[in-house]
């Protein structure tokens, strides 16, 4: 991608722009393209990540690179997907619900706050569906866009 950009800039060697500067521009362009694709299909880059649900733990870090979540769920065999979606709520109200029967979640900075407190630990008990911020971290990275959109 960087080589393509250099050709478009008609620069054979790094005389005007460093690789780092071009990488920043490529990542900015990728995010702009991501927003255009998501305007047509909001879930086009959706990622599912599962992790443990830990007893007496209420704060869970949001996934690395997460732009926004579309669903936070708990493992529940009563649901066809195996996960029960949680309702998004207000942090101050959820943290005061000590004896409530229905778990809710709130965004709390770089964490999800789940309340009320859980008393059991479940492997892969928490699932987050989210949209990541796309980035090309290495020279070998290829953006997850149709090849026709790479230009």
């Amino acid at each position: 991608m960087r080589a393509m950009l250099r050709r478009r800039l008609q620069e054979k060697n790094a005389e005007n722009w460093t690789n780092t500067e071009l990488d920043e521009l490529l990542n900015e362009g990728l995010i702009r393209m991501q927003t255009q694709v998501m305007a047509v299909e909001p879930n086009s880059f959706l990622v599912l990540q599962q992790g443990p649900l830990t007893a007496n733990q209420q704060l869970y870090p949001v996934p690395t690179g997460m732009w926004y979540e579309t669903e936070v769920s708990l493992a529940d065999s009563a649901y066809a997907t195996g996960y029960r979606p949680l309702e998004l709520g207000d942090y101050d109200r959820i943290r005061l619900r000590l004896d409530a029967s229905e778990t809710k979640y709130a965004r709390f900075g770089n964490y999800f706050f789940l309340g009320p407190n859980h008393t059991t630990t479940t492997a892969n008990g928490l699932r987050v569906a989210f949209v990541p911020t796309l980035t090309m971290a290495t020279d070998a990275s290829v953006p997850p866009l149709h090849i026709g959109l790479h230009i």
Side-chain angles (χ1 to χ4, degrees), residues 5-148:
L5 180 56
R6 241 184 236 298
R7 280 195 304 276
R8 282 193 157 275
L9 294 170
Q10 298 178 356
E11 182 179 65
K12 292 183 180 181
N13 301 315
E15 295 171 6
N16 296 315
W17 294 280
T18 65
N19 287 345
T20 301
E21 290 170 324
L22 293 183
D23 290 348
E24 288 174 8
L25 291 172
L26 287 169
N27 279 320
E28 182 179 329
L30 179 57
I31 291 169
R32 287 183 184 205
M33 182 56 69
Q34 180 180 10
T35 60
Q36 294 297 312
V37 171
M38 287 171 29
V40 176
E41 176 51 56
N43 292 327
S44 55
F45 302 105
L46 196 66
V47 173
L48 291 177
Q49 185 171 320
Q50 298 173 344
L53 184 66
T54 307
N56 300 316
Q57 179 177 332
Q58 291 183 300
L59 291 175
Y60 294 86
V62 300
T64 302
M66 186 184 86
W67 190 341
Y68 63 90
E69 80 277 5
T70 60
E71 183 179 287
V72 175
S73 317
L74 293 181
D76 190 332
S77 60
Y79 285 76
T81 63
Y83 287 87
R84 175 173 46 91
L86 300 181
E87 181 181 328
L88 175 63
D90 178 66
Y91 168 74
D92 288 327
R93 289 179 181 231
I94 292 173
R95 71 183 177 89
L96 297 175
R97 299 171 66 239
L98 301 176
D99 60 351
S101 59
E102 184 182 353
T103 301
K104 294 185 179 184
Y105 85 97
R107 286 295 299 270
F108 187 67
N110 289 322
Y111 295 90
F112 292 120
F113 179 87
L114 274 58
N117 223 354
H118 287 274
T119 57
T120 59
T121 296
T122 307
N124 292 328
L126 182 65
R127 183 176 78 177
V128 179
F130 68 96
V131 173
T133 301
L134 297 183
T135 183
M136 292 183 293
T138 67
D139 285 348
S141 295
V142 177
L145 299 169
H146 183 276
I147 190 75

